Amino acid sequence: MKALWIALAAAIVAVTGCVKETRPLPLKQATQATAEIPSDQLLDVGVHIFSPGIPQAVEDDPDLADKTRIYPDIRKAEARYFAMQLRDTLEGTGHWGTARVVPATVVSFDLTVDGRIIESSGTTLKLAITATDAAGRIWIDKKEYEGRADTRTYKEGYTADRDPFENVYVAIADDLLAVRKTKPAAELANIRRISELRFANDFAPVAFSQYLAQDAKSGQYRVLRLPADDDVLLQRIRQIRERDYGMIDTVSENYAAFSEKLEDPYTSWRRYTYDEIVAEEKLKKQARNRMALGAAAVAAAIFVPDNCSSNTCNRATSAARYGAAAGGVAAVISGYRKREESKIHAESLKEISGSFQSEAAPLVVDVEGRTLRLTGTAEEQYAEWRRLLHELYREETGLVPTAPAADTATPGAQAGGAG
């Protein structure tokens, strides 16, 4: 009879095939502003696209992807997606000015946030975050934030529009706010001034280098003196900066559209990888799906004893054999189906990520009567835009700006006269 009970137990496990749900996590919310913040203290935040954190060994050997669960294409998509999630969290608090997701080459913000993905799966998210203000002072220094998935978000029909790892983004936002609260109003206003002067110095170092000093050891900036508010050159720089912000908004909108397109297949992929990982932990072996349980149930059905001495025993034996076999076969089929669905979602993510990285829609912009057509990826378009801004400024003023940091090889831009 012992084999009978083993078979019945295997059948029950195989038929249910469900991983026990973890205790729901508390739904944390980022601290909200309760009063209006003066405009000269509202820091604009630039969230750089995160570093995907792909080990070189995985880059060199794609076969390691399954073993490490680090899929380069998906990680690159996550690098944009996570940055956008953090931006949304920050922007929703009311404690900051404008928050934008930008390429790593953009350094013209009051506060810049960098992130690196340490671990990302359906069960766990771990990020390393650094935040630095325009004065060069570090607010957060490579601090690691880790959180478990809120499994409620993986349920079919979940409509709360909350990320499984929202608590991680909330923790980052609250830490940034905690540092901000330690800054007096005068220091916050000074950070904004330095941000503007650094942008101006990038375009006109001859004219604006006299206003800033950078410590050679710490890399921090301090204001030596301020230009007159009605300075003609400063007014021109402010106009250029507004145009630059307009382009940054366009790039950030591209990232937002990418994240929106990614959300459904990415959430499904996370759900399947969550089930897979938890099943592995429960079984304490390398199996990645429920087929192992199914095989065990089928085997148990085969070995249920036939030597029963009563009709009751015979009926129970038959039921156990049928239940175990049926449950086992169902689990095997379900396992294969889960694997195939997971592959479909993974391929969808790769396709979306690949199309975003290959080329964004061409942008046509008008600058000072010149029509420019920018092509390439979002990052390449912005790099080309900055190069053209410098070129136009040089033509207009005769002053030689600093070579743009983003001046890398790009597909280029086509220019024409005003139409």
Side-chain angles (χ1 to χ4, degrees):
M1 289 296 289
K2 184 177 181 181
L4 174 61
W5 294 115
I6 293 175
L8 284 170
I12 292 169
V13 172
V15 171
T16 59
C18 294
V19 176
K20 184 178 180 181
E21 189 171 315
T22 59
R23 179 179 298 177
L25 297 174
L27 299 178
K28 297 180 180 179
Q29 300 290 338
T31 305
Q32 303 293 302
T34 56
E36 186 176 352
I37 299 172
S39 60
D40 65 344
Q41 298 173 32
L42 277 175
L43 303 185
D44 289 334
V45 183
V47 181
H48 284 163
I49 297 300
F50 287 3
S51 166
I54 305 170
Q56 190 59 48
V58 176
E59 291 272 23
D60 295 339
D61 184 4
D63 291 338
L64 288 177
D66 284 329
K67 295 179 181 178
T68 60
R69 284 202 180 89
I70 298 175
Y71 304 95
D73 286 332
I74 293 177
R75 271 292 180 92
K76 290 171 185 176
E78 289 176 325
R80 295 178 173 87
Y81 187 81
F82 296 159
M84 185 58 65
Q85 295 297 309
L86 178 57
R87 192 232 38 180
D88 290 346
T89 302
L90 291 171
E91 198 166 61
T93 65
H95 286 292
W96 310 96
T98 302
R100 299 175 175 95
V101 173
V102 293
T105 53
V106 181
V107 293
S108 54
F109 283 90
D110 305 327
L111 181 66
T112 301
V113 180
D114 290 277
R116 179 173 61 87
I117 303 172
I118 299 174
E119 181 181 354
S120 175
S121 67
T123 61
T124 305
L125 177 62
K126 189 175 184 180
L127 304 172
I129 298 295
T130 298
T132 311
D133 65 28
R137 295 185 180 88
I138 297 174
W139 289 30
I140 297 176
D141 189 11
K142 300 177 183 176
K143 182 175 178 179
E144 295 183 0
Y145 294 84
E146 183 174 5
R148 293 186 296 110
D150 180 358
T151 56
R152 284 168 293 206
T153 63
Y154 291 153
K155 290 182 178 180
E156 295 293 342
Y158 183 80
T159 58
D161 193 27
R162 183 180 173 88
D163 189 89
F165 301 102
E166 183 67 26
N167 288 353
V168 174
Y169 309 123
V170 168
I172 298 170
D174 282 351
D175 277 359
L176 288 171
L177 177 60
V179 178
R180 183 194 171 282
K181 286 182 174 179
T182 67
K183 308 288 184 183
E187 184 174 345
L188 294 173
N190 189 56
I191 289 172
R192 288 180 58 80
R193 282 194 292 268
I194 291 175
S195 176
E196 181 178 64
L197 289 172
R198 286 183 62 183
F199 184 89
N201 188 57
D202 180 48
F203 277 85
V206 174
F208 287 96
S209 59
Q210 59 183 305
Y211 299 109
L212 275 180
Q214 184 179 20
D215 185 90
K217 187 175 181 180
S218 68
Q220 294 182 6
Y221 293 85
R222 61 187 176 89
V223 177
L224 298 177
R225 60 193 185 91
L226 294 172
D229 202 50
D230 60 353
D231 183 282
V232 175
L233 200 53
L234 179 62
Q235 295 298 328
R236 182 64 184 131
I237 289 294
R238 284 173 175 169
Q239 292 173 2
I240 292 174
R241 196 180 193 195
E242 284 304 312
R243 285 192 174 276
D244 189 51
Y245 274 151
M247 182 63 184
I248 288 173
D249 282 339
T250 300
V251 172
S252 191
E253 287 166 8
N254 284 341
Y255 290 134
F258 167 79
S259 294
E260 186 176 341
K261 187 177 181 181
L262 189 76
E263 188 166 3
D264 284 345
Y266 183 52
T267 299
S268 297
W269 181 80
R270 271 177 162 176
R271 183 185 300 120
Y272 287 118
T273 56
Y274 173 88
D275 290 342
E276 184 179 82
I277 291 170
V278 173
E280 282 189 16
E281 292 174 350
K282 186 175 181 180
L283 294 170
K284 297 186 182 303
K285 60 182 180 180
Q286 295 301 312
R288 293 192 171 184
N289 47 58
R290 295 177 293 178
M291 288 186 289
L293 283 175
V298 173
I302 294 172
F303 291 108
V304 169
D306 291 321
N307 54 341
C308 284
S309 57
S310 68
N311 290 333
T312 301
C313 179
N314 284 329
R315 285 194 297 270
T317 299
S318 298
R321 180 178 291 112
Y322 175 78
V329 171
V332 172
I333 293 174
S334 174
Y336 276 118
R337 186 178 295 121
K338 282 176 68 68
R339 173 182 288 178
E340 291 307 310
E341 288 176 346
S342 179
K343 286 181 179 178
I344 290 171
H345 291 301
E347 288 302 317
S348 178
L349 291 174
K350 290 177 183 178
E351 182 179 346
I352 293 171
S353 179
S355 64
F356 185 89
Q357 293 178 87
S358 60
E359 190 158 331
L363 290 177
V364 178
V365 294
D366 182 79
V367 184
E368 307 297 335
R370 294 174 60 177
T371 301
L372 308 173
R373 187 174 186 271
L374 306 176
T375 60
T377 65
E379 289 87 351
E380 289 169 343
Q381 287 178 355
Y382 181 76
E384 182 64 10
W385 162 257
R386 284 302 296 267
R387 189 190 69 77
L388 291 169
L389 269 187
H390 280 72
E391 181 182 307
L392 291 170
Y393 179 81
R394 182 177 63 249
E395 290 177 359
E396 178 187 328
T397 64
L399 298 175
V400 179
T402 303
D407 191 10
T408 57
T410 64
Q414 300 171 359

